[in-house]
PDB file of all heavy atoms in Angstrom:
ATOM      1  N   LEU A 554     -16.114  -3.906   6.555  1.00  0.00           N
ATOM      2  CA  LEU A 554     -14.712  -3.466   6.535  1.00  0.00           C
ATOM      3  C   LEU A 554     -14.297  -2.895   7.883  1.00  0.00           C
ATOM      4  O   LEU A 554     -13.155  -3.086   8.323  1.00  0.00           O
ATOM      5  CB  LEU A 554     -14.500  -2.441   5.420  1.00  0.00           C
ATOM      6  CG  LEU A 554     -14.608  -2.983   3.994  1.00  0.00           C
ATOM      7  CD1 LEU A 554     -14.472  -1.851   2.971  1.00  0.00           C
ATOM      8  CD2 LEU A 554     -13.545  -4.043   3.722  1.00  0.00           C
ATOM      9  N   TYR A 555     -15.204  -2.186   8.565  1.00  0.00           N
ATOM     10  CA  TYR A 555     -14.889  -1.698   9.914  1.00  0.00           C
ATOM     11  C   TYR A 555     -14.526  -2.862  10.831  1.00  0.00           C
ATOM     12  O   TYR A 555     -13.555  -2.802  11.596  1.00  0.00           O
ATOM     13  CB  TYR A 555     -16.087  -0.967  10.520  1.00  0.00           C
ATOM     14  CG  TYR A 555     -16.399   0.375   9.915  1.00  0.00           C
ATOM     15  CD1 TYR A 555     -17.717   0.813   9.824  1.00  0.00           C
ATOM     16  CD2 TYR A 555     -15.398   1.207   9.444  1.00  0.00           C
ATOM     17  CE1 TYR A 555     -18.025   2.048   9.273  1.00  0.00           C
ATOM     18  CE2 TYR A 555     -15.689   2.431   8.892  1.00  0.00           C
ATOM     19  CZ  TYR A 555     -17.005   2.848   8.806  1.00  0.00           C
ATOM     20  OH  TYR A 555     -17.306   4.065   8.257  1.00  0.00           O
ATOM     21  N   ILE A 556     -15.318  -3.918  10.767  1.00  0.00           N
ATOM     22  CA  ILE A 556     -15.096  -5.068  11.653  1.00  0.00           C
ATOM     23  C   ILE A 556     -13.787  -5.763  11.309  1.00  0.00           C
ATOM     24  O   ILE A 556     -12.997  -6.099  12.194  1.00  0.00           O
ATOM     25  CB  ILE A 556     -16.287  -6.043  11.554  1.00  0.00           C
ATOM     26  CG1 ILE A 556     -17.549  -5.387  12.122  1.00  0.00           C
ATOM     27  CG2 ILE A 556     -15.994  -7.342  12.305  1.00  0.00           C
ATOM     28  CD1 ILE A 556     -18.829  -6.155  11.850  1.00  0.00           C
ATOM     29  N   ARG A 557     -13.535  -5.967  10.025  1.00  0.00           N
ATOM     30  CA  ARG A 557     -12.307  -6.665   9.618  1.00  0.00           C
ATOM     31  C   ARG A 557     -11.060  -5.877  10.018  1.00  0.00           C
ATOM     32  O   ARG A 557     -10.095  -6.450  10.527  1.00  0.00           O
ATOM     33  CB  ARG A 557     -12.320  -6.908   8.103  1.00  0.00           C
ATOM     34  CG  ARG A 557     -13.381  -7.914   7.683  1.00  0.00           C
ATOM     35  CD  ARG A 557     -13.224  -8.339   6.240  1.00  0.00           C
ATOM     36  NE  ARG A 557     -14.205  -9.368   5.894  1.00  0.00           N
ATOM     37  CZ  ARG A 557     -14.182 -10.077   4.778  1.00  0.00           C
ATOM     38  NH1 ARG A 557     -13.221  -9.879   3.889  1.00  0.00           N
ATOM     39  NH2 ARG A 557     -15.099 -10.987   4.541  1.00  0.00           N
ATOM     40  N   TYR A 558     -11.109  -4.570   9.797  1.00  0.00           N
ATOM     41  CA  TYR A 558      -9.934  -3.767  10.157  1.00  0.00           C
ATOM     42  C   TYR A 558      -9.845  -3.547  11.662  1.00  0.00           C
ATOM     43  O   TYR A 558      -8.745  -3.384  12.206  1.00  0.00           O
ATOM     44  CB  TYR A 558      -9.955  -2.426   9.404  1.00  0.00           C
ATOM     45  CG  TYR A 558      -9.362  -2.546   8.027  1.00  0.00           C
ATOM     46  CD1 TYR A 558     -10.134  -2.971   6.958  1.00  0.00           C
ATOM     47  CD2 TYR A 558      -8.017  -2.283   7.795  1.00  0.00           C
ATOM     48  CE1 TYR A 558      -9.594  -3.112   5.694  1.00  0.00           C
ATOM     49  CE2 TYR A 558      -7.464  -2.413   6.539  1.00  0.00           C
ATOM     50  CZ  TYR A 558      -8.262  -2.831   5.491  1.00  0.00           C
ATOM     51  OH  TYR A 558      -7.698  -2.982   4.226  1.00  0.00           O
ATOM     52  N   GLY A 559     -10.991  -3.527  12.343  1.00  0.00           N
ATOM     53  CA  GLY A 559     -10.951  -3.429  13.804  1.00  0.00           C
ATOM     54  C   GLY A 559     -10.315  -4.645  14.438  1.00  0.00           C
ATOM     55  O   GLY A 559      -9.505  -4.538  15.362  1.00  0.00           O
ATOM     56  N   LEU A 560     -10.667  -5.829  13.936  1.00  0.00           N
ATOM     57  CA  LEU A 560     -10.049  -7.057  14.441  1.00  0.00           C
ATOM     58  C   LEU A 560      -8.561  -7.093  14.106  1.00  0.00           C
ATOM     59  O   LEU A 560      -7.735  -7.536  14.909  1.00  0.00           O
ATOM     60  CB  LEU A 560     -10.757  -8.278  13.840  1.00  0.00           C
ATOM     61  CG  LEU A 560     -12.188  -8.533  14.340  1.00  0.00           C
ATOM     62  CD1 LEU A 560     -12.841  -9.644  13.527  1.00  0.00           C
ATOM     63  CD2 LEU A 560     -12.186  -8.899  15.820  1.00  0.00           C
ATOM     64  N   LYS A 561      -8.216  -6.629  12.899  1.00  0.00           N
ATOM     65  CA  LYS A 561      -6.804  -6.605  12.495  1.00  0.00           C
ATOM     66  C   LYS A 561      -5.998  -5.675  13.397  1.00  0.00           C
ATOM     67  O   LYS A 561      -4.883  -6.006  13.818  1.00  0.00           O
ATOM     68  CB  LYS A 561      -6.703  -6.147  11.041  1.00  0.00           C
ATOM     69  CG  LYS A 561      -5.290  -6.037  10.517  1.00  0.00           C
ATOM     70  CD  LYS A 561      -5.280  -5.539   9.082  1.00  0.00           C
ATOM     71  CE  LYS A 561      -3.858  -5.356   8.573  1.00  0.00           C
ATOM     72  NZ  LYS A 561      -3.842  -4.832   7.183  1.00  0.00           N
ATOM     73  N   LEU A 562      -6.573  -4.513  13.704  1.00  0.00           N
ATOM     74  CA  LEU A 562      -5.879  -3.547  14.552  1.00  0.00           C
ATOM     75  C   LEU A 562      -5.707  -4.071  15.972  1.00  0.00           C
ATOM     76  O   LEU A 562      -4.689  -3.822  16.622  1.00  0.00           O
ATOM     77  CB  LEU A 562      -6.646  -2.223  14.564  1.00  0.00           C
ATOM     78  CG  LEU A 562      -5.950  -1.021  15.201  1.00  0.00           C
ATOM     79  CD1 LEU A 562      -4.668  -0.683  14.454  1.00  0.00           C
ATOM     80  CD2 LEU A 562      -6.877   0.185  15.205  1.00  0.00           C
ATOM     81  N   SER A 563      -6.704  -4.813  16.463  1.00  0.00           N
ATOM     82  CA  SER A 563      -6.613  -5.366  17.814  1.00  0.00           C
ATOM     83  C   SER A 563      -5.697  -6.585  17.879  1.00  0.00           C
ATOM     84  O   SER A 563      -5.290  -7.007  18.969  1.00  0.00           O
ATOM     85  CB  SER A 563      -8.004  -5.750  18.316  1.00  0.00           C
ATOM     86  OG  SER A 563      -8.533  -6.843  17.575  1.00  0.00           O
ATOM     87  N   GLY A 564      -5.401  -7.180  16.715  1.00  0.00           N
ATOM     88  CA  GLY A 564      -4.537  -8.357  16.677  1.00  0.00           C
ATOM     89  C   GLY A 564      -5.216  -9.609  17.181  1.00  0.00           C
ATOM     90  O   GLY A 564      -4.548 -10.545  17.628  1.00  0.00           O
ATOM     91  N   GLU A 565      -6.553  -9.656  17.108  1.00  0.00           N
ATOM     92  CA  GLU A 565      -7.302 -10.796  17.618  1.00  0.00           C
ATOM     93  C   GLU A 565      -8.162 -11.420  16.529  1.00  0.00           C
ATOM     94  O   GLU A 565      -8.571 -10.744  15.577  1.00  0.00           O
ATOM     95  CB  GLU A 565      -8.209 -10.362  18.779  1.00  0.00           C
ATOM     96  CG  GLU A 565      -7.450  -9.849  19.987  1.00  0.00           C
ATOM     97  CD  GLU A 565      -8.379  -9.285  21.032  1.00  0.00           C
ATOM     98  OE1 GLU A 565      -9.311  -8.549  20.672  1.00  0.00           O
ATOM     99  OE2 GLU A 565      -8.176  -9.583  22.231  1.00  0.00           O
TER     100      GLU A 565
END
Side-chain angles (χ1 to χ4, degrees):
L554 291 176
Y555 289 146
I556 294 170
R557 292 191 176 191
Y558 275 85
L560 290 172
K561 178 182 177 182
L562 190 62
S563 67
E565 296 173 316

